[in-house]
Amino acid sequence: MQGDVKRLSLILLFAPFALWIVLLIILPHLGMVYLSLREKVAPRVYEFGFGNYIDFIQEPIYWNTLLRTGSMSILVTVLALLIGFPIAYYIAKIAGRRSRGALFLLCLIPLWVSDLIRAFGWILLLRETGVISTSLQTMGLISEPVEFLYNDATVIVGLVYTVILFMIVPLVSTLDGMDDAMVEAGYNLGGSGPTVLRRIIIPYAMPGIVAGCIVVFMLTAGSYLTPILLGGKNSSWFTEQIYDQFITRFNWESGAAFGFLLLAFTSLVVWAGLRLTGQNLANTVAKN
Amino acid sequence: MNDAVEHDLECTGLSKHFGSVRAVDDVSFRIPKGSFFSILGPSGCGKTTLMRMIAGFENPSDGDIHIKGRSVLNIPPNKRNVKMVFQHLALFPMMNVFENIAYGLRCAGTPKSEIPQKVNDVLERIALPDVGNREIHQLSGGQKQRIAIARCMVLDPDVLLLDEPLGALDLKLREAMKIELKLLQHQFNTTFIYITHDQSEALVMSDNVAVMNEGRFEQVGKPEELYHKPATSFVAGFVGDSNRWAGKVEEISDGVAKVATEAGLSMLCKPQAGVVTGAPVSIFVRPEFIGAQRASEAGPPDANSNALAGKVDSVLFNGANSRILVRGPSAELIEADVVVTGGTSDLRPGDAVQLNWAPEQAMCYAR
């Protein structure tokens, strides 16, 4: 009797999760794979084949876009780590107990505004007639309006801004668990500042770094709004290609193939990153 | 100059203020080479601050610290040859035992080829020769303790600081580690400074103990001096167990003070410096100096000694350290050590007893 109740409650608890995984993740992906393996040979006539993938390989603009998206996402991840680590360290180790909560909240505030509005905020600042251009003109530093939008630097800045929080949160939680005495021991045993950082703080924070990097990289590579709005036509983000295939060209087969390729590519990058840093996914998740 | 070499550590007029709080207040002491020195005090007495100043994690507000005769005030913590065993040890969990010990050697720039030899030597000396490849979480509490010490000792420090490292261990292990620490200190022949709030740790291990209270040293001396000749009432109350009475001196003659306690008893005791007739005093008597006899067997009270009649309230059996609580004439509980043999002559709750102790065992301090 008791066993039955236990089992029932387990099933009930587990059901939403199972439904979510099956309906929203596994099924759509199976559908995508199925769709991507259909070749259009005539209107409404399809054959099984790898044509969509072969198209991708044969058209440099496609895989160049994918590589570009990948490398820019890695750059965004690295920048988010470089900027986020000191912030996280300050919040977790240096700030006082009371200011810690306030600082954390400040980091969260941008999340209250939607992605779209935030991107428009950037546009207001950076466009030709925007705040920065106008004020630089008033100060006499530039003679005519400058367009800050629609270049790679802007896209990267916008992306870093959007995702940095997802780097800070896991870093704060791992660094928070580090005993201050650990750092002091590092100094006490003769380590200089850089040595302590390299040999003690970073290895200790590694699970948080890996978790943050995976999340940030995945979010960046899969983001759509920020690159389109801030990068315009030049952004050539891979998600834009997928959108094009599905919506503009109405070529679902090719779009599905691209979507699947993005997933495979990002997974490969994450796997390579884990291998390079000698971490594994299980210990990253378990330590957090 | 010769004098400076004899002392590994010397602090003069050392103070640390946090705002208006004087965490450490004008502390001066010298620690002879190769000795085991303990700083004993209740939590919040400033002992950790004192240790952190020696290690270089805090800057003193005033005073100077000399290590091997050289002032270290302007030397950052990573350049001081003072190593520290932290309260929770702070072993690096992402490194194995070997790497934990090698960390300091690498920082010091020891040639790569010598590191394994040195690490193995020190592991040998702490009697854990084969644990180099273990991860920290695979070690027992006592092993971690020894690794934390080895990690410091491999660097051959002038002074080793230990910040209550036994606090986290269970009682049995703590007892064993006390002896082990003392042996390790002998073996390495390095000056150990041990911080603790546990008097038995300090008394058992140390060559010299400083009792610290409210930022100041109350007394520095050998363990037996602290126990038998406490300099202040704080030391008398903090080191060892005591029965305690408050009273007023009625007269002093022949080095014996007659005190009337607040509860109305009259006692003879040995006045310490600063005790004058009419002064309010505290009296401390250790339980082992109080003899208990059945009232029926006791002779008439000796006029030159202290005697109190009472009733046994309870017997606290603890093997050789057994003790009785006696309810005295003014209803307070008095502790006295007794021998419990398990025979019929043992005292039992409810027995009428007479307590006796000599005036010289009753220490009397001005309040």
Side-chain angles (χ1 to χ4, degrees):
Chain A
M1 182 58 199
Q2 187 111 52
D4 288 348
V5 171
K6 241 185 186 163
R7 192 176 309 160
L8 182 68
S9 56
L10 183 71
I11 289 171
L12 284 178
L13 277 173
F14 195 68
F17 175 71
L19 284 176
W20 171 58
I21 286 280
V22 171
L23 289 179
L24 294 177
I25 301 200
I26 296 179
L27 273 184
H29 275 91
L30 287 178
M32 289 254 291
V33 173
Y34 168 72
L35 210 56
S36 72
L37 291 174
R38 293 200 307 178
E39 275 177 59
K40 205 175 196 171
V41 288
R44 293 168 196 260
V45 183
Y46 299 96
E47 267 178 15
F48 175 85
F50 292 93
N52 296 310
Y53 292 94
I54 293 164
D55 279 352
F56 171 84
I57 295 163
Q58 282 174 345
E59 181 58 74
I61 199 156
Y62 291 155
W63 51 263
N64 274 336
T65 311
L66 182 57
L67 287 182
R68 185 181 134 84
T69 305
S71 48
M72 277 178 65
S73 300
I74 290 172
L75 182 62
V76 168
T77 310
V78 171
L79 285 175
L81 178 62
L82 290 181
I83 301 169
F85 196 88
I87 299 175
Y89 191 80
Y90 185 87
I91 293 177
K93 293 279 109 177
I94 300 173
R97 281 229 162 268
R98 244 190 307 161
S99 52
R100 184 176 304 174
L103 285 170
F104 215 45
L105 200 67
L106 278 179
C107 286
L108 283 170
I109 282 177
L111 273 195
W112 293 352
V113 182
S114 89
D115 255 5
L116 190 65
I117 307 296
R118 269 185 286 164
F120 276 119
W122 279 107
I123 291 174
L124 278 180
L125 283 178
L126 296 175
R127 67 180 172 184
E128 228 174 327
T129 54
V131 175
I132 293 180
S133 176
T134 336
S135 41
L136 284 176
Q137 279 183 79
T138 332
M139 283 154 64
L141 288 174
I142 49 173
S143 52
E144 45 192 70
V146 174
E147 180 63 87
F148 291 103
L149 282 176
Y150 314 129
N151 59 54
D152 288 356
T154 309
V155 173
I156 286 173
V157 168
L159 281 170
V160 169
Y161 168 74
T162 319
V163 296
I164 195 157
L165 179 72
F166 298 94
M167 184 64 89
I168 292 177
V169 172
L171 281 178
V172 168
S173 71
T174 21
L175 287 172
D176 211 26
M178 182 171 73
D179 189 357
D180 289 347
M182 201 95 76
V183 176
E184 284 178 352
Y187 282 112
N188 182 259
L189 294 166
S192 58
T195 313
V196 171
L197 181 69
R198 188 172 54 85
R199 296 281 320 271
I200 292 161
I201 300 176
I202 291 180
Y204 189 92
M206 211 51 186
I209 294 177
V210 170
C213 285
I214 292 176
V215 173
V216 163
F217 176 76
M218 288 301 211
L219 278 176
T220 313
S223 71
Y224 178 74
L225 265 179
T226 316
I228 301 296
L229 290 176
L230 297 183
K233 286 255 179 290
N234 303 328
S235 68
S236 342
W237 211 252
F238 197 67
T239 47
E240 205 183 341
Q241 294 282 2
I242 300 174
Y243 180 87
D244 259 12
Q245 298 296 336
F246 273 107
I247 308 295
T248 316
R249 303 201 185 170
F250 215 68
N251 188 349
W252 279 45
E253 290 71 30
S254 160
F258 283 15
F260 194 71
L261 280 166
L262 179 63
L263 176 68
F265 178 72
T266 48
S267 306
L268 185 78
V269 172
V270 168
W271 175 82
L274 286 172
R275 283 301 295 270
L276 272 177
T277 54
Q279 299 285 314
N280 65 58
L281 211 53
N283 107 37
T284 301
V285 176
K287 274 201 179 167
N288 272 297
Chain B
M1 198 58 224
N2 199 18
D3 192 44
V5 180
E6 290 296 301
H7 295 93
D8 273 340
L9 179 74
E10 181 174 4
C11 294
T12 40
L14 202 58
S15 298
K16 177 74 186 176
H17 307 161
F18 294 107
S20 62
V21 181
R22 289 165 172 264
V24 175
D25 192 7
D26 193 20
V27 167
S28 301
F29 62 98
R30 285 169 157 196
I31 300 178
K33 200 174 164 51
S35 67
F36 199 122
F37 186 87
S38 289
I39 300 173
L40 172 66
S43 33
C45 73
K47 54 193 194 302
T48 298
T49 309
L50 177 60
M51 175 163 281
R52 290 174 61 81
M53 284 196 282
I54 298 170
F57 296 126
E58 306 274 0
N59 285 317
S61 310
D62 206 2
D64 204 349
I65 303 168
H66 290 263
I67 293 169
K68 285 239 188 289
R70 276 183 46 219
S71 171
V72 294
L73 280 195
N74 296 316
I75 300 177
N78 55 341
K79 298 277 193 288
R80 294 189 189 187
N81 200 11
V82 172
K83 302 302 161 207
M84 182 158 172
V85 176
F86 288 81
Q87 191 163 12
H88 302 289
L89 307 181
L91 293 170
F92 306 132
M94 56 279 176
M95 303 181 196
N96 65 16
V97 169
F98 181 93
E99 283 302 321
N100 260 281
I101 297 174
Y103 171 84
L105 292 171
R106 291 190 214 278
C107 290
T110 310
K112 262 205 162 69
S113 52
E114 292 174 21
I115 290 175
Q117 181 61 39
K118 289 198 170 191
V119 173
N120 289 333
D121 279 353
V122 81
L123 284 174
E124 205 65 61
R125 293 179 77 169
I126 57 160
L128 289 172
D130 302 316
V131 300
N133 290 323
R134 298 248 196 106
E135 294 298 325
I136 296 302
H137 63 84
Q138 294 171 314
L139 301 175
S140 70
Q143 288 173 329
K144 283 184 191 166
Q145 196 84 54
R146 281 186 273 172
I147 298 301
I149 292 167
R151 186 173 76 167
C152 296
M153 294 317 295
V154 75
L155 299 171
D156 199 16
D158 295 333
V159 176
L160 182 70
L161 305 172
L162 299 106
D163 185 6
E164 300 196 38
L166 303 188
L169 302 179
D170 58 68
L171 186 68
K172 196 107 190 169
L173 193 53
R174 201 152 65 211
E175 294 299 323
M177 281 308 295
K178 272 187 213 170
I179 299 162
E180 191 153 339
L181 265 177
K182 181 75 194 156
L183 292 175
L184 279 173
Q185 191 263 334
H186 261 296
Q187 199 190 342
F188 286 110
N189 199 24
T190 302
T191 303
F192 276 34
I193 303 183
Y194 189 90
I195 285 211
T196 181
H197 63 266
D198 181 325
Q199 39 149 322
S200 86
E201 286 176 16
L203 297 181
V204 168
M205 293 190 282
S206 317
D207 298 318
N208 284 293
V209 181
V211 180
M212 196 170 180
N213 184 35
E214 292 179 344
R216 290 173 167 276
F217 276 6
E218 296 266 341
Q219 187 176 5
V220 183
K222 294 191 185 314
E224 53 275 26
E225 283 171 14
L226 295 183
Y227 194 82
H228 293 303
K229 295 193 191 78
T232 66
S233 67
F234 177 81
V235 178
F238 192 72
V239 178
D241 295 334
S242 292
N243 293 292
R244 195 168 179 165
W245 289 274
K248 209 170 212 167
V249 181
E250 287 186 328
E251 58 169 302
I252 301 179
S253 62
D254 290 344
V256 174
K258 194 172 173 207
V259 177
T261 71
E262 283 169 1
L265 303 171
S266 179
M267 284 184 195
L268 299 174
C269 36
K270 193 168 98 182
Q272 308 290 318
V275 173
V276 289
T277 308
V281 290
S282 297
I283 301 168
F284 295 87
V285 184
R286 302 219 181 267
E288 66 264 36
F289 295 128
I290 299 184
Q293 282 175 294
R294 267 178 218 286
S296 52
E297 295 161 9
D302 177 358
N304 294 323
S305 185
N306 292 299
L308 270 183
K311 206 171 226 175
V312 177
D313 190 81
S314 42
V315 178
L316 310 176
F317 179 74
N318 184 18
N321 305 316
S322 298
R323 195 164 275 186
I324 52 172
L325 296 179
V326 176
R327 188 141 331 253
S330 54
E332 82 276 36
L333 283 175
I334 302 164
E335 293 183 30
D337 282 1
V338 290
V339 179
V340 178
T341 58
T344 48
S345 62
D346 285 350
L347 290 166
R348 304 204 187 285
D351 290 352
V353 288
Q354 182 177 316
L355 302 175
N356 304 293
W357 65 93
E360 51 269 26
Q361 304 297 2
M363 301 169 291
C364 165
Y365 296 88
R367 264 188 297 152

